Amino acid sequence: MANPVPSACCMVLAAVVMVYAQKHSQLDTHVQYERLGADMTMQCGTMDWDAVVTWTANGTDIDESHLNGSHLVLRNVDLTHSGLYACYEGSSWHLKYQTYLKVGTSPKEPVLMCRSNNYPKGFYCSWHLPSPTYIPNAFNITVMHGPRELICEKDAFPKNRCHIRYLQLFSTVKYKVTLTVTNALGRNATTITFDEFAIVKPDPPENVVAKPVSNNPRRLEVRWQNPSSWPDPESFPLKFFLRYRPLILDQWQHVELSDGTSHTITDAYAGKEYIIQVAAKDNDIGTWSDWSVAVHATPWTEEPKHLTTEAQVAETTTTGTSSFMPPPTTKICDLEAIVGSGAVTVSWAEGLVLAAVGVLFI
Amino acid sequence: CDLRRKLVIVFPAGDSWGIFAFLCAALWNLPAIPALNSTDEVGAGQSIQKTYDLTRYLEHQLRTLASTYLNYLGPPFNEPDFNPPRMTRAEMVPSATVDFELWRSLNDNARLAANYRAYTHLLCYLRSMDGQVAKAELRKNLGHFCTSLQGLVVSIASVMSSLGYPLPSPLGSASPTWAQGPGATSPHNDFLKKMDDFWLLKELQTWLWRSAKDFNRLKKKVPPAALMLRLEMRGF
């Protein structure tokens, strides 16, 4: 029977070695950034050039042809080269050096824009890179108003955005915003300058609803709401732009409305499905919002009369009128269509009646 | 001649001499306007609308005038990103810039008075600019603009008087600086003079934007307020 003491000693010794080895394998894992397309050399920590080592990439052994002594040589690196590289001493398989290689580019000039969709409360600036760098980037934004620097508070979401509250209104001094983007391989920056009024652009109107109007085959009633981000429509009223067209045509019709959040279209083609959108703008300053979500609607049509027998169908078709056609527009002079708010389209029939009425009154 | 009716019918700016003559008469007779009756609430409301419309018209006119004038001044004044530091000399013109809460809380009288004072000053400086300009065409355009701007001043005055507010003292406090103002610079200060002109146009543009917002607020508030104010003034 073997002596228990030496085997116990062996076990303790093994444990110590293992702990020591583990401690050593908890090497500082470095991070290394390299430019796309570059040639690079990795050194195995403090090992001599002529030491025998084995390199691995993400756990896979690297062929000796890539080695120059104990240095790993990588040519014309691309994104597939990114990963964890480790260097082991030849015989003992000791981990000598470990690093994350991240291949990327230095940042191109960022794209920066600022906009006030909540005038007169303030404005926000948002930015992005025109092409990815594949490595982490840090953004820094500074806002100058004349000699004064303002703090742009970063938004939680979306991330590349910050906002500023106006302390003063109606400023003659321009705002100057500079965005700097930095990463391990370089930096870049862009600056924009603007007047308070130039960046005002509301969000599109909300809850746009279009409905047919009973007994009116050429009308559609459209209603919408001010964008909820616009804080004070009483003092800073919005005006609106409505566009509509039947689905079958490409040409839009436009109506500009200086107040109110509804409009009745009076010249819709009977029975055709329409697509309608609305945009908003501050009454006096800035630019138009994007178009709202499109809504679809079809004007009211009379219910087709049910036919009782085949014979009756044959009879009605021979007389030339079809019971499936919606009735023609009402002949009664519709003053509302002529005098209503917004765009005015007077059909010739209505015009004739109006002229007749006018003559009567002269 | 019915002065009250004439005050309401200021627009559109038509024959320059006719307007000038009646404006002189209007300004002369302004303090003597007799007691007003209820039709003037409606009158005040319409005057505010017309004043608002005029600020929009002037703002539109100014865009063309300013770009022509800045081209006349030459670079860097006509560069779009030109953003010089504001110099204290330019502080002679009352600034439209105002703290947001303060602007919101202005009462109707203060709001109107601020506009009235600003445009009387601006008109004064614009007129002096007029005298210096070498190009005849530009001088003519400036002249027309001044006439329209004078119309705005009178329009604001008419709103104020129809609401029973006193007119702010005309240019009294500004006289000393005005006397040595933009019109009287030496040739050595040519660049500084151009800077003054630049800031004057900038301030004018900003005021016209601000006035649109000021008159929007007034539009919503005037009729009930006017009635209350006049009842107070008559001691009821």
Side-chain angles (χ1 to χ4, degrees):
Chain A
M1 186 157 121
N3 197 342
V5 175
S7 50
C9 262
C10 266
M11 281 179 67
V12 171
L13 194 62
V16 169
V17 166
M18 269 189 70
V19 169
Y20 183 72
Q22 271 216 323
K23 262 200 141 164
H24 255 263
S25 75
Q26 278 166 16
L27 273 176
D28 295 326
T29 305
H30 300 85
V31 180
Q32 195 170 345
Y33 295 98
E34 289 296 332
R35 222 168 271 277
L36 207 56
D39 296 339
M40 55 161 297
T41 307
M42 260 191 231
Q43 281 191 316
C44 186
T46 52
M47 299 286 278
D48 291 333
W49 178 82
D50 53 2
V52 177
V53 297
T54 311
W55 282 93
T56 65
N58 295 326
T60 316
D61 284 11
I62 298 176
D63 188 68
E64 273 186 17
S65 60
H66 291 100
L67 265 62
N68 173 9
S70 68
H71 297 174
L72 176 65
V73 176
L74 296 172
R75 295 197 188 285
N76 196 18
V77 293
D78 59 37
L79 297 173
T80 59
H81 286 104
S82 297
L84 179 63
Y85 287 79
C87 170
Y88 297 90
E89 190 174 10
S91 44
S92 64
W93 205 250
H94 249 134
L95 178 64
K96 285 300 191 182
Y97 179 76
Q98 192 166 246
T99 183
Y100 276 106
L101 174 66
K102 294 183 198 265
V103 178
T105 61
S106 65
K108 293 218 170 55
E109 186 174 330
V111 175
L112 173 66
M113 73 88 124
C114 297
R115 178 177 154 221
S116 177
N117 65 343
N118 60 347
Y119 193 75
K121 277 230 171 92
F123 64 93
Y124 73 84
C125 292
S126 92
W127 56 87
H128 67 270
L129 286 171
S131 55
T133 60
Y134 308 103
I135 58 177
N137 305 296
F139 296 92
N140 187 23
I141 191 164
T142 51
V143 180
M144 299 298 290
H145 186 214
R148 216 164 24 145
E149 178 169 349
L150 307 175
I151 308 294
C152 195
E153 291 175 37
K154 292 254 162 82
D155 286 346
F157 184 80
K159 277 193 329 181
N160 288 356
R161 194 152 139 167
C162 68
H163 61 271
I164 287 200
R165 287 189 74 95
Y166 280 132
L167 299 168
Q168 292 187 311
L169 281 188
F170 316 116
S171 178
T172 44
V173 178
K174 285 186 159 99
Y175 289 83
K176 181 167 156 176
V177 183
T178 304
L179 175 77
T180 314
V181 53
T182 315
N183 69 15
L185 298 173
R187 70 196 333 223
N188 213 325
T190 186
T191 301
I192 58 173
T193 321
F194 52 84
D195 279 311
E196 178 185 313
F197 305 104
I199 58 165
V200 177
K201 176 179 169 176
D203 286 329
E206 292 172 7
N207 294 332
V208 183
V209 172
K211 283 195 234 168
V213 179
S214 285
N215 301 308
N216 277 292
R218 302 204 63 193
R219 288 188 177 212
L220 285 169
E221 193 191 331
V222 190
R223 288 182 183 280
W224 60 89
Q225 285 168 357
N226 287 324
S228 50
S229 52
W230 196 253
D232 193 358
E234 281 289 304
S235 303
F236 295 83
L238 293 169
K239 61 181 177 183
F240 301 97
F241 212 63
L242 188 129
R243 70 175 186 180
Y244 59 98
R245 65 173 172 86
L247 282 182
I248 52 174
L249 294 179
D250 286 331
Q251 194 111 13
W252 291 96
Q253 272 175 278
H254 297 99
V255 182
E256 185 166 331
L257 304 154
S258 52
D259 56 23
T261 53
S262 65
H263 175 70
T264 304
I265 297 166
T266 54
D267 62 350
Y269 291 116
K272 303 294 178 225
E273 185 179 349
Y274 270 77
I275 178 168
I276 299 155
Q277 288 180 297
V278 194
K281 179 182 173 303
D282 175 275
N283 229 354
D284 314 299
I285 59 181
T287 54
W288 286 98
S289 72
D290 292 336
W291 289 107
S292 70
V293 168
V295 293
H296 293 244
T298 309
W300 174 90
T301 49
E302 191 175 322
E303 282 290 312
K305 297 198 171 39
H306 277 292
L307 310 150
T308 46
T309 64
E310 298 271 335
Q312 278 182 321
V313 172
E315 227 180 354
T316 47
T317 42
T318 47
T319 53
T321 53
S322 166
S323 50
F324 293 99
M325 283 274 287
T329 333
T330 169
K331 295 190 197 82
I332 299 162
C333 178
D334 203 331
L335 278 173
E336 209 189 332
I338 297 159
V339 184
S341 62
V344 173
T345 16
V346 182
S347 77
W348 69 269
E350 291 168 359
L352 210 57
V353 175
L354 194 62
V357 171
V359 165
L360 276 172
F361 272 92
I362 289 168
Chain B
C1 78
D2 193 337
L3 190 65
R4 244 178 295 153
R5 195 150 31 93
K6 273 199 176 164
L7 279 174
V8 174
I9 312 164
V10 175
F11 304 96
D15 171 50
S16 307
W17 283 114
I19 282 195
F20 183 73
F22 128 70
L23 289 177
C24 285
L27 284 170
W28 191 256
N29 287 298
L30 226 39
I33 285 185
L36 307 155
N37 57 34
S38 65
T39 55
D40 287 295
E41 268 107 26
V42 178
Q46 282 174 356
S47 285
I48 289 173
Q49 179 62 47
K50 285 174 179 176
T51 313
Y52 169 83
D53 291 340
L54 188 57
T55 65
R56 306 290 295 123
Y57 168 70
L58 281 166
E59 191 253 308
H60 185 78
Q61 262 202 318
L62 182 62
R63 269 184 246 163
T64 323
L65 180 65
S67 79
T68 314
Y69 194 84
L70 292 175
N71 277 328
Y72 164 77
L73 291 183
F77 301 100
N78 57 352
E79 281 158 24
D81 283 346
F82 184 49
N83 188 22
R86 190 82 189 261
M87 289 147 40
T88 38
R89 262 172 70 102
E91 304 281 324
M92 293 186 292
V93 176
S95 181
T97 312
V98 63
D99 174 72
F100 176 42
E101 288 302 329
L102 184 70
W103 178 81
R104 248 200 350 188
S105 63
L106 284 174
N107 64 42
D108 295 348
N109 187 7
R111 199 177 290 280
L112 286 162
N115 274 267
Y116 181 82
R117 258 188 239 107
Y119 289 116
T120 40
H121 280 78
L122 288 164
L123 185 57
C124 227
Y125 293 131
L126 260 187
R127 285 203 176 118
S128 81
M129 218 162 90
D130 192 353
Q132 309 277 313
V133 171
K135 278 179 152 185
E137 177 78 26
L138 189 53
R139 249 209 317 279
K140 193 175 79 159
N141 292 336
L142 257 176
H144 278 156
F145 189 85
C146 281
T147 309
S148 304
L149 192 56
Q150 174 77 67
L152 177 61
V153 170
V154 172
S155 186
I156 299 172
S158 101
V159 172
M160 290 185 81
S161 62
S162 74
L163 293 176
Y165 299 135
L167 282 184
S169 58
L171 296 180
S173 51
S175 299
T177 39
W178 159 226
Q180 5 146 345
T185 50
S186 70
H188 297 296
N189 289 327
D190 192 43
F191 183 79
L192 291 178
K193 162 122 196 8
K194 287 184 179 179
M195 279 293 266
D196 281 344
D197 291 349
F198 173 82
W199 281 117
L200 177 65
L201 290 172
K202 204 92 209 278
E203 202 58 73
L204 181 56
Q205 182 181 56
T206 314
W207 261 109
L208 288 168
W209 276 324
R210 173 176 156 173
S211 292
K213 300 308 184 196
D214 278 325
F215 285 99
N216 259 328
R217 274 186 95 87
L218 287 163
K219 254 196 277 191
K220 316 261 184 218
K221 294 172 68 196
V222 159
L227 191 56
M228 290 296 291
L229 179 75
R230 277 196 292 118
L231 287 174
E232 274 173 53
M233 285 179 70
R234 298 210 186 147
F236 287 119

